[in-house]
Amino acid sequence: MAQQQEDGYYPRVNANLISASQIGQIVSLVGAVDGCDGTVATIRCGVGTTKVIVEPDFSHPSGHIMEAIGCVNDDLSIQMFVSRDMGSDFDMGVYNELITKVMANPKFAEYFLPPSAITM
């Protein structure tokens, strides 16, 4: 049986950090919209892209940065529940450094993990 995800905690991921161990979990993905065919948006994040399943009325300017919160599917796409516009001047380089080097560092776990996940 899979461990239940703690309310209010959504791991921050990019294209490189999404893994099969997160299938069924809610995650937060920040990236630039490369395009959308009406049901699937391609989001550029990290050094790759991720497919985000969107509602038919999804509208987001290409090139703008957005955050998508949703559930990881079996194919490692994300079924989006909520999105927010982060503008066009969001620094993706700094953000990716944060999630890959700071948030993943056990030294800073108390700042980025839910209390139940922290082992002292």
Side-chain angles (χ1 to χ4, degrees):
M1 183 174 186
Q3 185 176 359
Q4 185 170 345
Q5 191 168 356
E6 190 161 328
D7 285 345
Y9 171 72
Y10 312 114
R12 295 187 174 278
V13 298
N14 62 24
N16 306 27
L17 297 175
I18 296 174
S19 69
S21 67
Q22 294 169 317
I23 292 172
Q25 289 189 354
I26 299 171
V27 297
S28 169
L29 175 83
V30 174
V33 177
D34 273 352
C36 183
D37 69 4
T39 58
V40 178
T42 302
I43 309 297
R44 185 174 13 90
C45 52
V47 294
T49 60
T50 299
K51 303 290 184 191
V52 176
I53 313 303
V54 297
E55 295 293 321
D57 62 348
F58 174 79
S59 176
H60 198 84
S62 188
H64 268 235
I65 308 297
M66 67 170 282
E67 177 182 30
I69 297 174
C71 187
V72 178
N73 296 317
D74 291 341
D75 63 357
L76 302 185
S77 65
I78 296 174
Q79 176 65 53
M80 185 174 72
F81 304 146
V82 176
S83 69
R84 83 181 83 196
D85 183 19
M86 305 296 276
S88 59
D89 61 349
F90 187 91
D91 191 326
M92 286 300 301
V94 170
Y95 180 78
N96 281 309
E97 292 281 316
L98 170 74
I99 65 174
T100 58
K101 294 184 178 174
V102 178
M103 293 179 78
N105 186 330
K107 178 179 178 181
F108 305 111
E110 67 183 286
Y111 301 111
F112 300 109
L113 294 176
S116 63
I118 299 171
T119 58
M120 301 265 179

